[in-house]
Amino acid sequence: RMAEAVQAGIGIFGENRVQELLAKYPVVQSPASWHLVGRLQTNKVKSIIGKVDLIHSLDRYALATEIAKRAQAAGTRVNVLVQVNVSGEPSKQGLKPAEVMPFVEQIAPYEGLAVKGLMTIAPQGDPQAARMVFRELRRLFEQVAQAEIAQVEMRYLSMGMTDDFEEAIEEGANLVRIGTGIFGKR
């Protein structure tokens, strides 16, 4: 099914789990690129360096340090998005909105790491609540962009999934995650 998607013009695949990405990676070849969307454990960073074009879920200093260390050892830079828990839901990962600017300023100089934007996951089932989360992430995105932090290129606003991608796009998303809409439920 993924090969059919590539033939239909889909060029980016996102995966939530490292193990699933590693199983699919050798099967789905270029021109596809891979994004890791789900939570990344520091002990699994080494297995994805050189395989993913973008990590959407950078949410802590220990992970930033490990990514930077592994990327430097491989002679590369890894593009990352900072994950923000805008809604404050305990079930969601990510930084609190007030932590975003200090976090980005702290990790910006890390060799091997390239901050390219922000990511969030909105509450499910309420389009208006989702819209407010997306609007706040867009505000944070613009705040970081206006700060003009060296080595930070605010390029991607990753927000919205199958059930709320339209609201996300209306609020400024330029990366949406619609795997369920394309491939169905797990």
Side-chain angles (χ1 to χ4, degrees), residues 67-140:
I67 293 169
K69 179 179 89 173
R70 296 293 180 168
Q72 278 186 283
T76 190
R77 287 182 75 99
V78 175
N79 296 321
V80 298
L81 303 181
V82 174
Q83 184 173 356
V84 185
N85 184 353
V86 175
S87 68
E89 292 176 86
S91 63
K92 301 235 183 336
Q93 303 298 318
L95 299 171
K96 295 176 183 172
E99 298 170 330
V100 171
M101 188 63 79
F103 182 78
V104 171
E105 289 171 337
Q106 176 92 24
I107 67 169
Y110 287 17
E111 293 295 323
L113 195 68
V115 177
K116 298 293 184 179
L118 303 178
M119 184 275 259
T120 197
I121 299 171
Q124 299 298 298
D126 182 352
Q128 287 313 309
R131 183 177 297 280
M132 297 311 293
V133 165
F134 299 148
R135 192 168 290 156
E136 175 61 12
L137 191 69
R138 172 69 183 259
R139 186 193 67 74
L140 286 168

Side-chain angles (χ1 to χ4, degrees), residues 2-3 6-7 10-11 13 23-34:
M2 293 177 77
V6 170
Q7 290 296 322
I10 294 176
F13 291 99
K24 295 171 185 172
Y25 181 81
V27 177
V28 180
Q29 294 296 316
S30 293
S33 72
W34 287 92

Side-chain angles (χ1 to χ4, degrees), residues 1 7 9-10 30 32 47 63 86 109 145 147 159 178 180:
R1 290 175 43 185
Q7 290 296 322
I10 294 176
S30 293
S47 62
L63 181 58
V86 175
M159 53 188 194
I178 53 174
T180 300

Side-chain angles (χ1 to χ4, degrees), residues 127 131 134 159-173 176 178:
R131 183 177 297 280
F134 299 148
M159 53 188 194
M161 296 189 291
T162 299
D163 292 336
D164 56 15
F165 74 90
E166 292 169 326
E167 289 85 3
I169 291 169
E170 289 169 1
E171 295 299 332
V176 292
I178 53 174

